[in-house]
Amino acid sequence: MCCFSIKIKSVSDTKIFTRSSAHGRQFAVYSMALDSPADVAMILPIPTPPRSREDAVRFINLEEYKNFFDDMELGFPHPRSLSMPGGTKSLAHSKSKLVVHQVGSYEASFVPSDQDFTRLDARFRLPASTWASLPIYHDYGFAVFKLKAGAQTVHPMAFEFPRRDPSKLFFPTVHIHDGKVHQTAEFDHTLYCQKS
């Protein structure tokens, strides 16, 4: 699941892969089909250590490996889905804009804290009140992917980040598709992890 900066038409076929990396870091790969009426940002809260540096996240270009999840699927049986519908302050005192990385067909930025969203283009952030209603993420970092308008299958978005707890893998599953936090959301995703 993910958070979008504007109301989107639809998102489906979400797949997330995680595995540990060296030095307490984690890899994450994210893929989905998206239909958005305008350019949009997908925002993934990630449990980086508090006050992480702006260069703490490394974005990885998988534009030439669009079938990453097709290959991943080859290693797993196909179980039936059990899902049911319904069912801090930053060290950076500068107000300079955050670095934007071109990663294949999209742009990506790392936002070190919720306070740093003001340094990101206003079109690609959620209102502060949204994060205020999700206090669990008050000291997380955020991987932000700027995607083009229209119906598309986004090539896998991959990144590596430092974890505050190196003994746990994290799946970004908070769900905001219309700017609001709802009590329930439909969860129809495929999650993969590789244990080290």
Side-chain angles (χ1 to χ4, degrees):
M1 295 175 150
C2 49
C3 307
F4 291 104
S5 59
I6 63 169
K7 185 172 182 173
I8 60 166
K9 291 180 183 175
S10 68
V11 61
S12 61
D13 200 27
T14 301
K15 297 177 176 75
I16 307 171
F17 168 80
T18 65
R19 66 159 285 202
S20 292
S21 180
H23 310 294
R25 295 173 65 87
Q26 175 182 318
F27 288 108
V29 183
Y30 198 104
S31 179
M32 67 185 163
L34 172 70
D35 192 354
S36 176
D39 290 358
V40 62
M42 181 184 77
I43 303 162
L44 300 177
I46 50 177
T48 54
R51 297 176 298 282
S52 290
R53 294 170 33 136
E54 290 180 31
D55 61 357
V57 172
R58 179 173 68 98
F59 295 98
I60 303 161
N61 187 351
L62 292 184
E63 184 176 29
E64 299 300 320
Y65 193 11
K66 292 182 171 101
N67 61 340
F68 176 91
F69 282 104
D70 294 336
D71 289 348
M72 183 67 57
E73 192 68 20
L74 296 175
F76 294 89
H78 292 267
R80 283 183 40 205
S81 173
L82 299 178
S83 65
M84 297 180 64
T88 297
K89 301 274 184 206
S90 170
L91 280 182
H93 296 291
S94 164
K95 292 298 179 190
S96 63
K97 295 290 183 193
L98 291 168
V99 174
V100 176
H101 305 272
Q102 186 64 48
V103 188
S105 66
Y106 56 83
E107 295 176 327
S109 295
F110 173 59
V111 180
S113 76
D114 59 355
Q115 303 288 316
D116 291 302
F117 271 105
T118 59
R119 300 170 55 210
L120 195 63
D121 187 315
R123 297 173 301 148
F124 301 118
R125 51 183 138 139
L126 288 167
S129 60
T130 302
W131 296 119
S133 63
L134 292 166
I136 191 171
Y137 299 113
H138 82 279
D139 64 349
Y140 273 43
F142 303 85
V144 178
F145 301 89
K146 297 161 191 109
L147 308 170
K148 302 275 186 211
Q152 60 185 302
T153 297
V154 180
H155 70 73
M157 295 169 277
F159 58 101
E160 181 189 29
F161 64 94
R163 294 177 284 176
R164 63 180 65 187
D165 183 348
S167 68
K168 295 180 181 176
L169 288 175
F170 176 79
F171 286 92
T173 58
V174 67
H175 184 91
I176 302 171
H177 290 184
D178 60 2
K180 299 177 187 137
V181 178
H182 298 276
Q183 290 297 316
T184 61
E186 186 174 334
F187 189 90
D188 186 18
H189 296 15
T190 306
L191 304 178
Y192 304 88
C193 77
Q194 179 180 356
K195 293 178 70 175
S196 30

